[in-house]
Amino acid sequence: MISRIVNLLSLRNYNFAYYNPEQKRNKSSRPEQKKLRNYLEKNKEKKCIICQRNLPPYILECAHIKPRMLCSIQERHDFNVVNWMCRNCHIVFDRGGIGIKDGELLISNDLKQFSDFSTNFNSDNFYMSRDYFEYHYYNIFKQ
């Protein structure tokens, strides 16, 4: 609480004349993200590809199957590099707790005690993004 008050008091000397809340950023740090998300909203069922739960779009995340920072410029604009994941599955997937090999959902040894990830993956999602799932399996998944 005290640190919040100190932070607020330190703003008293700030010149707010330079602050414009209506000003938009000139460039996005992820210019392709809006295009990829729009593609998912128009072309994919609003369902997490891992747990298969139907969820509203504001809960689903446009998840990169291959980490964006490791994608080439061409891969960053490929619609198959992303798919819908709920927040929980997205976190577990990014940390290597879940892997997909040949259309089959695999679970790391750390997560074997939890049954929620058993056989829900729909392999129809695998074939269009096969290269990205294979990259994830061989480089991120923790067996």
Side-chain angles (χ1 to χ4, degrees):
M1 179 72 173
I2 292 176
S3 63
R4 253 180 104 193
I5 294 170
V6 170
N7 287 338
L8 290 173
L9 291 175
S10 66
L11 290 176
R12 279 196 295 175
N13 297 328
Y14 182 75
N15 185 355
F16 286 96
Y18 296 111
Y19 174 71
N20 180 2
E22 302 299 318
Q23 183 179 4
K24 294 186 177 183
R25 290 174 52 185
N26 291 336
K27 260 189 168 181
S28 170
S29 60
R30 299 170 63 133
E32 74 284 352
Q33 189 67 17
K34 185 175 183 178
K35 179 181 79 159
L36 295 172
R37 185 170 180 87
N38 286 341
Y39 169 79
L40 291 179
E41 287 176 356
K42 292 177 184 170
N43 298 292
K44 298 279 186 166
E45 190 175 0
K46 310 291 186 295
K47 182 185 276 193
C48 173
I49 63 164
I50 303 296
C51 67
Q52 296 297 304
R53 289 189 328 203
N54 289 312
L55 297 165
Y58 60 87
I59 292 178
L60 291 169
E61 297 180 350
C62 178
H64 283 78
I65 298 166
K66 178 180 180 180
R68 183 184 179 277
M69 65 183 266
L70 301 174
C71 290
S72 68
I73 299 297
Q74 182 180 356
E75 289 174 331
R76 288 181 184 184
H77 293 274
D78 183 358
F79 293 125
N80 296 316
V81 77
V82 294
N83 214 318
W84 291 124
M85 288 187 206
C86 67
R87 182 177 257 335
N88 290 337
C89 291
H90 190 184
I91 291 169
V92 175
F93 184 81
D94 281 354
R95 293 186 180 176
I98 300 171
I100 291 127
K101 173 108 168 102
D102 297 326
E104 183 182 344
L105 181 73
L106 303 172
I107 303 162
S108 71
N109 291 330
D110 297 342
L111 294 178
K112 293 240 176 172
Q113 62 184 333
F114 304 102
S115 61
D116 292 350
F117 299 108
S118 57
T119 58
N120 293 339
F121 182 73
N122 181 352
S123 61
D124 294 342
N125 293 303
F126 172 75
Y127 297 103
M128 291 180 70
S129 303
R130 168 177 256 160
D131 293 341
Y132 300 118
F133 280 118
E134 285 180 359
Y135 179 89
H136 180 274
Y137 177 78
Y138 290 113
N139 297 286
I140 296 168
F141 178 61
K142 299 171 185 167
Q143 297 182 13

